[in-house]
Amino acid sequence: MPRHLPGLLLLLWPLLLLPPPAAPGPQARPGFRRLGTRGPGGSPGRRPALAAPTGAPYAGVGQPGGARGAGICKSRPLDLVFIIDSSRSVRPLEFTKVKTFVSRIIDTLDIGAADTRVAVVNYASTVKIEFHLGTHSDKQSLKRAVARITPLSTGTMSGLAIQTAMDEAFTVEAGARGPTSNIPKVAIIVTDGRPQDQVNEVAARARAMGIELYAVGVDRADMESLKLMASEPLDEHVFYVETYGVIEKLSSRFQKTFCALDPCMLGTHQCQHVCVSDGEGKHHCECSQGYSLNADKKTCSAIDKCALNTHGCEHICVNDRAGSYHCECYEGYTLNEDRKTCSAQDQCALGTHGCQHICVNDRAGSYHCECYEGYTLNEDKKTCSVRNKCALGSHGCQHICVNDGAASYHCDCYNGYTLNEDKKTCSAIEEARRLISTEDACACEATLAFQDKVSSYLQRLNTKLDDILEKLQANEYGQIHR
């Protein structure tokens, strides 16, 4: 069997499935087609797999029947980019066949700003965007623009061409619809050689962006490279023909591919997120990442990601409404830049601790209060009470200070002295007796007056010392808590 026979059969097979001219009728072709997937970043969207509709009546432009069946086959809106190889291996007449192939596909589409938009990327060793998705909004201007395209040069930089389409053709600025529009993004690559650069990774990125890739190989095209570029399933996205002379016949296959005949395409599915076509007019609904399908099999609810224990939050996981989550920290901690882990705060430095005397940071992001020497911590663990007033040095006793309990004291005198009426100062006992027994009454009165004066001075001095001590303690407290 000639080596090109399988490719010829692949070309002829869709033509054999067409109904006869006199009596168009349905042709059964069982299979599964996934017509909705998630858009980039997990956002709800549709990226329909462009497979031929199953079990549906069909008539189209350039086919028996003359015109598209009214109300039966309407091409669904697409952002469609043709990526065509115009290297030197493609002769001028062959390149004309490629342009005819592109024009025939355009003939089968509903072209317009609200329908299908078309762009063409021309490539060889360099890449040129012939026109963008937003450039033309009617078939005639599109076909005239295609007719004016000229070949470039040598080289077959297929990977560069796909990357350029991603970066420049499939952008909102160039006329592509955004992800919320749910308009499928489709690229048809036509080449007759082996790529001279890497196509595997760039094609994978394009598919991950939600771009449906079709690969059409002609003559010397490398089948493995076509498979690397195309989307799954490969038997619906990879095509091969022996010569450019028959490539235009594939336009009928794409016409059927772009025909919307199921609820997912017609927009009658009522799926909240993603509609998946199961063939033969049947479908089911799926949800975007982070959501689960409700019992009604149509609407979606956010998954409790915190309950899954895959969140990675060190302290607290908080569910958000959009099916996502964020991390928070326990009191006394702050969230680090990784938005997952937590670090202890310096609670004492924040000045909100409430300690009367001393704040001490603990390792666990908390703190405790302590008191100055001579004080004890109260039950509230914040304030302090005097433990030994004699130790504070503010008692005013001339000789001896004696503690009477937690917060009281009294003064006492050394041996040979007696406590004066002020309960603070002391006088020698013998001197007092001598003064009392003196015969000089005036001297006695003078002595008593002197003692009163000295006692008065001592009382005022003790009062000043108390004030000075309180100010020193207040100053020391303020320095510790700055």
Side-chain angles (χ1 to χ4, degrees):
M1 179 181 292
R3 66 183 183 89
H4 295 308
L5 185 55
L8 184 58
L9 289 175
L10 181 62
L11 169 66
L12 295 177
W13 179 249
L15 301 178
L16 294 173
L17 292 178
L18 290 174
Q27 296 292 327
R29 185 186 173 194
F32 173 85
R33 293 188 296 127
R34 183 180 182 84
L35 299 177
T37 60
R38 297 170 185 87
S43 63
R46 287 189 301 164
R47 184 175 59 82
L50 306 181
T54 60
Y58 175 81
V61 174
Q63 299 298 323
R68 187 182 298 112
I72 296 176
C73 179
K74 175 180 173 60
S75 71
R76 51 200 168 90
L78 305 171
D79 284 341
L80 175 62
V81 176
F82 291 93
I83 304 175
I84 56 175
D85 177 3
S86 67
S87 58
R88 188 167 296 174
S89 61
V90 184
R91 298 178 180 88
L93 182 60
E94 294 174 334
F95 191 68
T96 300
K97 295 288 187 181
V98 173
K99 293 192 291 183
T100 301
F101 164 68
V102 172
S103 294
R104 288 199 175 184
I105 292 180
I106 291 173
D107 271 332
T108 68
L109 302 173
D110 294 292
I111 301 297
D115 294 307
T116 294
R117 303 178 185 180
V118 177
V120 173
V121 175
N122 189 6
Y123 79 96
S125 58
T126 59
V127 179
K128 178 184 178 183
I129 297 183
E130 297 290 347
F131 51 84
H132 288 286
L133 289 168
T135 305
H136 302 285
S137 58
D138 64 274
K139 289 185 183 181
Q140 295 307 314
S141 63
L142 263 177
K143 292 168 67 176
R144 285 194 296 269
V146 170
R148 290 192 296 266
I149 298 174
T150 58
L152 294 177
S153 61
T154 59
T156 309
M157 304 297 286
S158 301
L160 178 61
I162 297 172
Q163 186 66 54
T164 302
M166 292 165 53
D167 295 340
E168 300 181 31
F170 284 110
T171 64
V172 174
E173 295 77 11
R177 269 72 62 99
T180 57
S181 66
N182 291 337
I183 301 297
K185 291 175 171 52
V186 181
I188 300 176
I189 305 164
V190 182
T191 181
D192 73 340
R194 181 189 298 272
Q196 295 176 342
D197 57 356
Q198 295 296 321
V199 297
N200 189 14
E201 292 184 3
V202 67
R205 289 196 298 272
R207 293 191 295 267
M209 283 180 57
I211 300 173
E212 189 105 7
L213 293 174
Y214 284 81
V216 177
V218 184
D219 194 12
R220 298 173 299 277
D222 179 58
M223 183 59 70
E224 290 304 315
S225 298
L226 298 178
K227 292 178 180 179
L228 289 176
M229 291 187 286
S231 298
E232 295 283 350
L234 295 178
D235 60 351
E236 295 180 1
H237 293 82
V238 177
F239 301 92
Y240 174 82
V241 292
E242 285 188 343
T243 67
Y244 282 101
V246 293
I247 187 174
E248 59 196 67
K249 301 291 187 180
L250 284 178
S251 60
S252 61
R253 178 64 180 267
F254 282 101
Q255 180 182 6
K256 294 175 65 177
T257 294
F258 297 150
C259 187
L261 293 171
D262 57 66
C264 292
M265 295 303 175
L266 298 175
T268 59
H269 49 78
Q270 296 184 336
C271 296
Q272 184 179 5
H273 284 187
V274 181
C275 179
V276 179
S277 175
D278 300 325
E280 298 182 357
K282 298 179 181 179
H283 74 285
H284 68 275
C285 300
E286 293 183 0
C287 297
S288 301
Q289 185 175 2
Y291 292 79
S292 61
L293 196 64
N294 294 328
D296 62 7
K297 301 300 182 182
K298 292 189 178 290
T299 59
C300 301
S301 298
I303 296 173
D304 185 350
K305 291 209 168 184
C306 292
L308 297 177
N309 279 332
T310 57
H311 48 78
C313 298
E314 184 178 4
H315 285 184
I316 304 168
C317 177
V318 180
N319 277 303
D320 296 329
R321 292 181 181 178
S324 59
Y325 67 94
H326 69 273
C327 300
E328 294 182 359
C329 298
Y330 300 139
E331 185 177 0
Y333 290 79
T334 55
L335 197 63
N336 295 328
E337 290 185 1
D338 61 7
R339 317 306 295 175
K340 299 277 187 178
T341 58
C342 301
S343 296
Q345 293 177 341
D346 184 350
Q347 294 278 5
C348 292
L350 295 177
T352 58
H353 47 78
C355 297
Q356 183 180 4
H357 285 184
I358 303 169
C359 176
V360 180
N361 276 306
D362 298 327
R363 292 183 180 179
S366 60
Y367 66 95
H368 69 274
C369 299
E370 294 182 358
C371 298
Y372 301 139
E373 185 177 358
Y375 291 80
T376 184
L377 194 64
N378 294 329
E379 290 184 1
D380 61 7
K381 302 300 182 181
K382 299 274 187 179
T383 59
C384 300
S385 297
V386 174
R387 182 177 65 234
N388 185 347
K389 288 209 170 186
C390 290
L392 296 177
S394 60
H395 47 78
C397 296
Q398 184 181 6
H399 283 186
I400 303 170
C401 178
V402 180
N403 272 307
D404 295 330
S408 64
Y409 68 96
H410 71 273
C411 298
D412 207 345
C413 297
Y414 302 139
N415 288 333
Y417 290 81
T418 184
L419 193 65
N420 295 325
E421 290 183 0
D422 61 7
K423 302 300 182 181
K424 300 271 188 180
T425 59
C426 300
S427 298
I429 295 175
E430 292 298 328
E431 181 65 19
R433 287 176 180 173
R434 187 185 67 77
L435 290 172
I436 293 172
S437 62
T438 182
E439 294 179 357
D440 188 350
C442 293
C444 181
E445 290 179 1
T447 300
L448 290 174
F450 176 75
Q451 287 179 346
D452 290 340
K453 189 174 183 178
V454 169
S455 296
S456 176
Y457 283 149
L458 287 174
Q459 287 177 353
R460 289 200 296 271
L461 181 61
N462 282 331
T463 300
K464 290 182 179 181
L465 288 173
D466 288 342
D467 291 342
I468 291 171
L469 182 61
E470 289 179 1
K471 291 179 179 179
L472 289 174
Q473 289 176 343
N475 184 49
E476 181 181 0
Y477 175 78
Q479 290 180 348
I480 291 175
H481 290 80
R482 284 178 182 172

